[in-house]
């Protein structure tokens, strides 16, 4: 559209009061034809989030996403307003803005922000999600199911998909849903998790003195006069920190969103929370529709024709399984899909009314340690516990086999889970690494991360993590390299080789198959890692190796000598 001087003034004065803005709007209305649709964006000049997103397809992907100003950082403000032309009741002035248009409307717009969004058809806007929802991410126990990946790090910090860590999934889902207050509960602290959290998210969620009060913080189990124990389970972990969560209630928190830290999926929690609020439920449980083959691996639920949950069954089989069939059309599945998937499994994702959570944990069930097996089933007996359908890709990656399979599946065509989504990116720590360097290699079905260097090698169905070094004549098949946290200079690498030592990365002529190579590991020349004997479980930690579910893992910082075979 054509900007008048009044427009320019308005654009520069993002802190103008709502009265002034309305006055400007009326003045502009007299000079512009009502037939002409317009969209106006005002933004202050402070830096918006840039170069945080790391897509491996292009080194510029982060920058492009940042510049769309969808989620501003600090005090930069974006205000979108769409005006439709004449025609019918439904094309009125506020017929067009969707929930996404209201993404970044700041409180400082005051009454005018409310005016833009007063249309009752709008879902709960994102600012409300910021004010009323606290995300609590359950980072898991000591991570025994993922050992040895959890030998030197907390479970949420385990690397995923070449660039990311497990914690990036729930945190990114929260950010994309407009939730900017999150705690991650973990059994023990790790430097890598704390470092990652502080570097990756603080500016995105509007943390710090000039921000919007957002935070992403790690809470580790700790001894206190009232509780000298480790976390005894998921519910106990939340109970031990309720005193801290209740402090957040003073800032307007009304619902707790309880999330698991070891799932791979993309979900808009704002819709989940909105359904919870609309239905008046005490607790809402996210439910995954599944077929008979998959159902027996989960805790299943039965619902009535309003979607209220009245029965639970943990991993049933045979007749007990068939007893748990439900009509999933109640939750919104179409009839054909409902026929194929007549079971609903709990995903371990819950929304609680704040007073309900506090009452259950402190008063009604003070000794219950687990949400899935104790709190939720008992609450369903006399409280309103609703199911919410999540009909998309979801994978529990809390075991070695499922973690390994889900990672390799990322490299398939088409992948079952896609990291590249311009509107809902998966955020991670900005590392500012150069693009991958691939010289004379044969590569098929692989994800190769930033800073990796591969030459004269063969890579098939593999994940190659950041800063990976892969030597000449190497074959990597059905494997995951987690990469490294730092580079070794070329001169250091040459001097290590001259001394008969092993530099970081995979040495020339080695074969890596059905293997996870953890961070900063050193594999010598002509080594063979493929579990030839087909061993299922073996603790070979003195050799720097561990075998679980038949998958070989090279431990973080381990050295595998030249010519080693397994």
């Amino acid at each position: 559209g054509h900007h008048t001087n009044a427009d320019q003034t308005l654009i520069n004065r993002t802190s103008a009061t709502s009265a002034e803005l309305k006055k400007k709007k009326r003045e502009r209305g007299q000079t512009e034809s009502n037939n002409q649709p317009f969209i106006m964006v005002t933004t202050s000049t402070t830096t918006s989030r840039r170069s945080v997103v790391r897509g491996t397809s292009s080194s510029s992907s982060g920058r492009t996403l940042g510049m769309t100003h969808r989620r501003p950082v600090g005090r930069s403000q974006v205000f979108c307003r769409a005006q439709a032309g004449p025609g019918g009741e439904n094309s009125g002035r506020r017929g067009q803005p969707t929930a996404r248009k209201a993404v970044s409307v700041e409180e400082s717009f005051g009454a005018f922000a409310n005016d833009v969004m007063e249309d009752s058809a709008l879902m709960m806007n994102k600012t409300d999600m910021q004010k009323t929802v606290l995300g609590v991410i359950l980072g898991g126990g000591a991570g025994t199911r993922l050992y040895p990946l959890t030998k030197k790090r907390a479970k949420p910090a385990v690397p995923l998909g070449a660039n990311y860590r497990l914690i990036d999934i729930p945190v990114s889902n929260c950010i994309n849903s407009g939730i900017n207050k999150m705690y991650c509960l973990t059994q023990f602290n790790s430097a890598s998790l704390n470092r990652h959290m502080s570097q990756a998210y603080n500016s995105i969620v509007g943390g710090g003195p000039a921000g919007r009060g957002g935070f992403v913080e790690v809470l580790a189990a700790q001894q206190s006069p009232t509780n000298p124990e480790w976390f005894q389970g998921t519910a106990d972990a939340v109970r031990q920190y309720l005193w801290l969560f209740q402090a957040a209630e003073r800032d307007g928190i009304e619902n707790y969103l309880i999330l698991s830290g070891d799932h791979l999926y993309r979900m808009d929690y704002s819709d989940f929370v909105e359904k919870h609020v609309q239905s008046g439920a005490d607790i809402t449980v996210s439910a995954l529709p599944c077929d008979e083959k998959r159902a027996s691996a989960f805790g299943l639920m039965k619902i009535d024709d309003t979607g209220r949950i009245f029965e639970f069954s943990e991993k049933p089989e045979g007749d007990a399984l068939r007893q748990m069939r439900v009509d999933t059309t109640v939750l919104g599945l179409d009839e054909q899909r409902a026929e194929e998937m007549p079971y609903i499994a709990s995903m371990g994702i819950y929304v609680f009314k704040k007073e309900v959570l506090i009452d259950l944990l402190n008063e009604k069930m003070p000794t219950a340690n687990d949400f899935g097996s104790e709190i939720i089933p008992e609450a369903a007996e006399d409280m309103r516990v609703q199911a919410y359908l999540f009909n998309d890709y979801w994978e529990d990656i809390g075991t070695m086999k499922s973690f390994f399979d889900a990672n390799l599946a990322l490299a398939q065509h088409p992948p079952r889970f896609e990291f590249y989504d311009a509107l809902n990116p998966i955020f991670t720590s900005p590392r500012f690494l150069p693009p991958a360097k691939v010289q004379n290699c044969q590569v098929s079905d692989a994800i190769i991360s930033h800073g990796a260097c591969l030459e004269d090698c063969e890579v098939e169905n593999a994940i190659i993590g950041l800063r990976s070094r892969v030597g000449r004549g190497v074959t990597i098949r059905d494997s995951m390299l987690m990469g490294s946290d730092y580079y070794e200079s070329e001169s250091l690498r040459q001097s290590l080789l001259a001394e008969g030592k092993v530099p970081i990365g995979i040495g020339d002529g080695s074969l890596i198959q059905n293997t996870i190579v953890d961070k900063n590991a050193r594999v010598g020349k002509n080594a063979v890692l493929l579990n030839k004997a087909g061993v299922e479980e073996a603790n070979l930690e003195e050799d720097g190796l561990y075998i679980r579910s038949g998958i070989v893992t090279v431990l973080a910082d381990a050295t595998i000598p030249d010519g080693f075979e397994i």
Side-chain angles (χ1 to χ4, degrees):
H2 302 287
H3 284 311
T4 61
N5 288 340
D7 282 324
Q8 195 55 47
T9 311
L10 176 55
I11 286 168
N12 293 338
R13 294 179 58 196
T14 51
S15 58
T17 64
S18 65
E20 286 173 319
L21 285 164
K22 283 179 177 172
K23 185 177 170 194
K24 300 281 183 193
K25 185 179 68 172
R26 281 198 298 274
E27 286 171 6
R28 187 179 56 250
Q30 291 159 10
T31 59
E32 282 188 18
S33 159
N34 278 336
N35 295 342
Q36 190 175 352
F38 69 90
I39 288 183
M40 179 181 70
V41 175
T42 70
T43 173
S44 70
T45 52
T46 49
T47 313
S48 82
R49 184 194 84 247
R50 289 182 58 129
S51 303
V52 176
V53 185
R54 283 280 178 265
T56 51
S57 58
S58 156
S59 58
S60 66
S61 57
R63 202 171 307 136
T64 317
L65 286 164
M67 287 171 67
T68 58
H69 287 286
R70 279 188 50 257
R71 255 169 221 95
V73 168
R75 278 282 161 215
S76 65
Q77 297 156 344
V78 177
F79 148 60
C80 297
R81 171 107 184 266
Q83 176 167 321
E89 256 180 294
N90 296 328
S91 63
R93 289 187 308 129
R94 298 192 186 95
Q96 296 310 311
T98 61
R100 196 168 290 289
K101 290 249 175 58
V103 166
S104 310
V105 178
E106 296 275 330
E107 287 97 299
S108 55
F109 272 96
F112 190 58
N114 296 333
D115 183 48
V116 170
M117 296 180 291
E118 71 189 8
D119 186 339
S120 59
L122 273 181
M123 282 173 42
M124 174 186 292
N125 65 56
K126 303 272 177 168
T127 312
D128 280 349
M129 292 290 286
Q130 287 182 6
K131 282 184 181 157
T132 64
V133 180
L134 178 70
V136 179
I137 300 163
L138 304 170
T144 49
R145 295 190 304 162
L146 279 178
Y147 191 88
L149 302 180
T150 50
K151 184 176 182 179
K152 292 184 178 179
R153 60 170 79 87
K155 189 173 171 184
V158 170
L160 169 75
N163 265 35
Y164 306 90
R165 294 181 187 267
L166 290 186
I167 190 68
D168 291 332
I169 302 297
V171 172
S172 298
N173 282 336
C174 281
I175 292 169
N176 292 329
S177 304
I179 296 164
N180 72 341
K181 296 180 177 71
M182 287 161 266
Y183 287 112
C184 174
L185 303 182
T186 178
Q187 191 72 275
F188 60 88
N189 232 325
S190 76
S192 59
L193 181 62
N194 277 338
R195 188 170 58 240
H196 182 73
M197 298 293 252
S198 61
Q199 288 174 358
Y201 308 117
N202 204 37
S203 61
I204 302 171
V205 298
R212 302 184 301 283
F215 55 81
V216 183
E217 288 178 16
V218 182
L219 302 174
Q222 58 186 21
Q223 287 187 318
S224 69
T226 54
N227 213 325
E229 302 289 334
W230 287 95
F231 293 151
Q232 301 301 303
T234 54
D236 184 60
V238 174
R239 183 186 291 112
Q240 286 194 32
Y241 274 106
L242 266 183
W243 59 272
L244 183 61
F245 304 157
Q246 284 176 278
E249 289 178 21
R250 292 195 295 270
D251 299 329
I253 295 299
E254 293 168 14
N255 293 291
Y256 290 110
L257 176 64
I258 310 288
L259 304 167
S260 178
D262 52 9
H263 297 163
L264 182 60
Y265 65 111
R266 186 182 266 105
M267 180 176 179
D268 184 355
Y269 300 137
S270 60
D271 188 51
F272 183 30
V273 173
E274 176 70 3
K275 290 278 197 316
H276 168 76
V277 172
Q278 283 176 353
S279 69
D282 296 309
I283 305 167
T284 302
V285 180
S286 189
L288 186 77
C290 47
D291 55 23
E292 192 158 320
K293 187 166 142 230
R294 200 176 175 198
S296 57
F298 294 106
L300 301 184
M301 306 176 291
K302 280 189 94 163
I303 51 172
D304 64 17
D305 55 7
T306 66
R308 182 172 177 172
I309 301 167
F310 63 88
E311 191 181 334
F312 288 83
S313 178
E314 190 63 30
K315 299 183 180 172
E317 292 183 3
D319 285 345
L321 174 60
R322 284 183 279 282
Q323 289 287 313
M324 297 303 292
R325 287 176 72 101
V326 295
D327 177 10
T328 42
T329 58
V330 169
L331 298 177
L333 267 192
D334 63 60
E335 293 211 0
Q336 187 189 338
R337 291 271 294 166
E339 193 64 38
E340 294 166 8
M341 302 193 168
Y343 301 95
I344 51 169
S346 169
M347 293 164 59
I349 298 172
Y350 318 105
V351 185
F352 282 82
K353 277 184 183 168
K354 63 176 184 187
E355 58 275 8
V356 169
L357 183 69
I358 291 156
D359 185 42
L360 283 170
L361 292 181
N362 285 346
E363 307 300 327
K364 289 191 174 153
M365 304 177 69
T367 57
N369 289 330
D370 194 67
F371 279 115
S373 59
E374 297 173 79
I375 300 276
I376 304 289
E378 196 153 321
E381 289 175 17
D382 57 357
M383 287 183 164
R384 180 134 185 229
V385 182
Q386 289 286 127
Y388 169 86
L389 185 79
F390 176 74
N391 186 24
D392 208 337
Y393 176 82
W394 177 88
E395 198 66 60
D396 179 344
I397 47 177
T399 66
M400 205 65 171
K401 175 118 182 73
S402 63
F403 172 81
F404 186 60
D405 290 346
N407 270 284
L408 293 189
L410 295 169
Q412 292 170 359
H413 291 287
R416 295 181 64 197
F417 179 83
E418 181 63 275
F419 275 104
Y420 317 118
D421 180 335
L423 294 178
N424 299 289
I426 302 298
F427 299 96
T428 191
S429 212
R431 299 186 184 88
F432 313 111
L433 291 169
K437 187 173 172 186
V438 180
Q439 292 177 307
N440 196 27
C441 300
Q442 186 177 330
V443 179
S444 60
D445 292 349
I447 290 177
I448 301 176
S449 186
H450 298 266
C453 183
L454 294 76
E455 51 182 322
D456 295 311
C457 62
E458 190 180 323
V459 178
E460 181 187 333
N461 193 34
I463 305 292
I464 309 295
L466 46 106
R467 303 188 189 87
S468 290
R469 292 292 301 245
V470 179
R472 299 178 177 201
V474 170
T475 299
I476 297 173
R477 194 178 292 124
D478 304 327
S479 294
M480 177 181 185
L481 273 54
M482 289 185 170
S484 140
D485 291 320
Y486 55 93
Y487 281 119
E488 285 179 335
S489 68
E490 205 51 49
S491 56
L492 174 59
R493 291 176 68 81
Q494 293 308 324
S495 63
L496 284 171
L497 289 166
E499 293 167 30
K501 293 180 180 171
V502 182
I504 282 183
I506 311 297
D508 293 355
S510 291
L511 167 63
I512 311 290
Q513 186 168 328
N514 195 42
T515 296
I516 296 173
V517 180
D518 206 338
K519 285 268 187 89
N520 311 327
R522 302 163 188 267
V523 177
K525 294 180 179 179
N526 303 311
V528 176
L529 304 177
L530 57 75
N531 190 9
K532 281 184 276 196
V535 177
E536 273 298 298
E537 309 286 326
N539 181 345
L540 307 167
E541 289 195 55
E542 65 279 2
D543 293 326
L545 297 168
Y546 206 101
I547 301 179
R548 285 194 81 165
S549 305
I551 301 157
V552 180
T553 300
V554 179
L555 304 188
D557 305 302
T559 300
I560 306 298
D562 293 354
F564 183 91
E565 295 196 11
I566 187 168

